[in-house]
Amino acid sequence: MAVISLRNVATSVPKGHLRCDAPITALVVHRRFGFSHSLITFVQQGTSRTFATTFCPCHNQPNYPKSPLNIPALDCETRKGKAQIMGDNALLPSEPPANDPNPNPVPVPVKEEEENPFPLTAVDKWVLSQTDEQFKYHSWAELRVLIQNNDLSVLKRKPSDLRRYMKWTAETKASYGSMTNYLLAHRLPKTWGVPPFTPVSDVPFAEPSDYCVLLNDWPYGFEPGITHMVVWTRTPIAVDDDKGDMTPESRKIVGDFVKQYFVDRLGPGGEGKVLYFKNWVALQSVRALEHVHVLVKDVDPVLIGEWTKEQEWHKA
């Protein structure tokens, strides 16, 4: 079950079957056949409708914003309305409307540290004091500066997304015992087994079966057009003893992989469409599993689908 954006599928829903005056709070895929066909439920406050869906080419034009977090009104024959959803392929612990039907709740006081599902940074606490309307999304230019300066603690999620992420994390830990157990059960290749992993290569990203690329279930608050992926690896990436940041050697290894896997596929000018970073250990919400974050701007969803598809060598 996955929540997806309207840029991946568009419906052949007859007009009048959905309320045009109410936002869609979730899109739930029950069965998916690639990007082209799915059985999908549109959830609106107080109602939901399930339809078979087909690809709509008018939603894949270059001028159509590709952000999963800020879908504008669609003005074609298939559907009208505004979707407010969590992100591409964001797994939910339960069927909507158990997912918060209010996409922008009133700010609430931050809980004591021991009550939070993960340590909140000062930025997190500041974000939780805001509404979505007060939130300023990260632009591509800003992200470039933040990553270049290694100022990763400034990265932030939209207030409503952060609250949902905290709720989802608490529920997931209660059900699975840890985020690591959940990821091993539902997201990472079954062929990896359980930690401590035994990678084919001791060099990160040298062996394709040792890493996988997935869309981030809980992306940061980005402006439209920016897609957030995570590269998971069962080969350790060396970090320093200071704050758990990458060493110069491991930074070069990661940089070379990002260029080969992402930048080169984009052709001329590709280096301007890709950013990457690895959170310091203190900033990681999933510390037991190695991962690197990759951001791309204005990239065709078909290519993103190729990057993130399940590979044969990952299947059990």
Side-chain angles (χ1 to χ4, degrees), residues 4-10 27 42 59 64 71 74 79 83 85:
I4 62 175
S5 71
L6 291 181
R7 68 175 171 82
N8 285 348
V9 297
L27 305 176
F42 289 78
H59 293 165
Y64 181 72
I71 306 299
L74 302 182
R79 218 202 83 69
I85 56 181

Side-chain angles (χ1 to χ4, degrees), residues 26-282:
L27 305 176
V28 182
V29 173
H30 301 279
R31 189 175 181 187
R32 189 171 184 178
F33 311 92
F35 280 108
S36 298
H37 299 83
S38 301
L39 185 65
I40 190 170
T41 296
F42 289 78
V43 180
Q44 294 179 303
Q45 192 164 2
T47 186
S48 64
R49 302 276 182 160
T50 300
F51 304 96
T53 67
T54 55
F55 182 74
C56 177
C58 67
H59 293 165
N60 198 33
Q61 297 302 315
N63 61 353
Y64 181 72
K66 298 179 176 62
S67 167
L69 293 177
N70 187 20
I71 306 299
L74 302 182
D75 195 18
C76 69
E77 288 298 314
T78 54
R79 218 202 83 69
K80 294 182 179 180
K82 181 174 181 180
Q84 296 178 347
I85 56 181
M86 294 163 51
D88 285 352
N89 299 323
L91 298 175
L92 297 177
S94 59
E95 291 272 353
N99 180 37
D100 189 356
N102 179 4
N104 187 21
V106 176
V108 296
V110 178
K111 298 178 180 178
E112 295 298 326
E113 287 299 327
E114 59 269 17
E115 297 182 61
N116 292 316
F118 50 82
L120 296 179
T121 66
V123 172
D124 289 334
K125 296 176 182 178
W126 174 64
V127 168
L128 290 172
S129 71
Q130 297 180 311
T131 64
D132 283 0
E133 286 74 17
Q134 295 169 323
F135 181 78
K136 182 180 182 298
Y137 291 91
H138 292 295
S139 68
W140 188 251
E142 178 192 7
L143 289 168
R144 186 183 297 279
V145 173
L146 292 179
I147 293 172
Q148 181 178 356
N149 295 338
N150 208 24
D151 198 6
L152 304 179
S153 62
V154 177
L155 291 172
K156 55 192 181 295
R157 292 178 174 88
K158 188 172 68 174
S160 58
D161 288 336
L162 178 55
R163 295 184 191 99
R164 282 193 286 264
Y165 182 45
M166 293 171 65
K167 179 178 181 290
W168 180 84
T169 300
E171 293 173 346
T172 300
K173 286 183 176 180
S175 298
Y176 292 87
S178 69
M179 293 299 296
T180 296
N181 291 340
Y182 168 80
L183 290 166
L184 291 171
H186 295 288
R187 300 296 272 144
L188 298 180
K190 297 295 186 292
T191 54
W192 285 9
V194 297
F197 297 126
T198 304
V200 174
S201 175
D202 292 333
V203 180
F205 312 112
E207 169 56 45
S209 63
D210 285 337
Y211 64 85
C212 69
V213 182
L214 301 174
L215 286 163
N216 190 351
D217 296 339
W218 296 95
Y220 295 103
F222 302 132
E223 288 185 350
I226 301 173
T227 300
H228 190 171
M229 291 171 282
V230 180
V231 184
W232 299 91
T233 172
R234 60 176 172 175
T235 304
I237 299 174
V239 296
D240 59 34
D241 295 327
D242 183 13
K243 58 183 179 181
D245 196 8
M246 287 189 290
T247 65
E249 294 78 13
S250 62
R251 191 176 296 277
K252 182 179 186 307
I253 290 174
V254 173
D256 289 345
F257 164 75
V258 170
K259 180 180 184 303
Q260 174 268 320
Y261 193 90
F262 296 99
V263 174
D264 290 350
R265 288 291 304 276
L266 294 171
E271 64 278 357
K273 296 184 176 182
V274 181
L275 298 171
Y276 73 92
F277 63 93
K278 183 179 186 299
N279 274 328
W280 326 319
V281 172

